[in-house]
Amino acid sequence: MRSGITRRSGGVRREAVRIRRATARDAKRLTRLVRTSRAYEGPYAAMVAGYRVGPDYIEAHRVFAAVEPGSEQVLGFYSLVLQPPELDLLFVADDAQGLGVGRLLVGHLRGEAERAGLTGVRIVSHPPAEGFYRSVGARRTGTLAANPPAVMWDRPELLLPIT
């Protein structure tokens, strides 16, 4: 799938980005993307400090990566769980933020969800990402309470309609 991505100062072009199924060989790259995300600095750092996206996880779930052909640089990825329908992970590389990679991934997710016969996908959002999810059509349905020590803050719960 091609996208609408453009990076002005050398690098990503819209027509160059594609989404492909992640493979076990991507595990270290996806883990690094999660652990180094600036979105999880400060009080959120503990949540991803030891997080691992392993080959077993990639094999068990529908994990897709947005990549630059040629270099195969991972610009972002998502994981869709079908039962029950939920967006488990969605991360965009810090240097690809604001270029449309997240919207591209959500568009792809919608296609995957529709092909699987889903009518909606639950999203438990990182609090600072709620605005992004709402901007792509998700509706707030509630709040998931903090669950210390793993998660020390309440999180927005949303539903992304698939139609």
Side-chain angles (χ1 to χ4, degrees):
M1 175 177 187
R2 301 221 183 268
S3 79
I5 312 300
T6 305
R7 185 179 295 164
R8 300 199 192 295
S9 58
V12 183
R13 287 191 343 248
R14 170 181 209 134
E15 57 279 357
V17 175
R18 65 185 177 89
I19 294 183
R20 63 163 172 77
R21 187 79 185 243
T23 67
R25 292 177 36 181
D26 292 314
K28 287 182 181 178
R29 286 187 275 190
L30 302 185
T31 296
R32 185 171 33 256
L33 201 153
V34 170
R35 288 185 184 177
T36 62
S37 173
R38 285 193 312 257
Y40 282 86
E41 290 179 332
Y44 302 113
M47 178 138 181
V48 297
Y51 201 89
R52 180 177 170 267
V53 181
D56 52 335
Y57 179 89
I58 293 169
E59 294 298 323
H61 299 290
R62 293 183 183 211
V63 182
F64 293 88
V67 298
E68 270 187 271
S71 72
E72 285 296 302
Q73 176 185 353
V74 175
L75 302 173
F77 77 99
Y78 78 88
S79 173
L80 174 63
V81 174
L82 296 180
Q83 205 53 273
E86 184 170 357
L87 173 64
D88 190 35
L89 300 168
L90 189 149
F91 280 83
V92 174
D94 291 337
D95 64 349
Q97 296 275 329
L99 299 175
V101 174
R103 289 181 186 283
L104 175 67
L105 289 168
V106 170
H108 189 273
L109 173 138
R110 278 193 158 110
E112 283 296 308
E114 188 172 4
R115 282 187 284 285
L118 304 178
T119 58
V121 174
R122 177 182 184 235
I123 301 169
V124 177
S125 177
H126 177 50
E130 179 181 6
F132 165 75
Y133 290 119
R134 291 174 66 122
S135 78
V136 295
R139 295 185 319 262
R140 178 105 184 229
T141 57
T143 301
L144 198 62
N147 185 18
V151 181
M152 302 299 290
W153 57 89
D154 293 346
R155 294 170 289 159
E157 187 173 15
L158 304 107
L159 180 68
L160 180 68
I162 306 298
T163 52

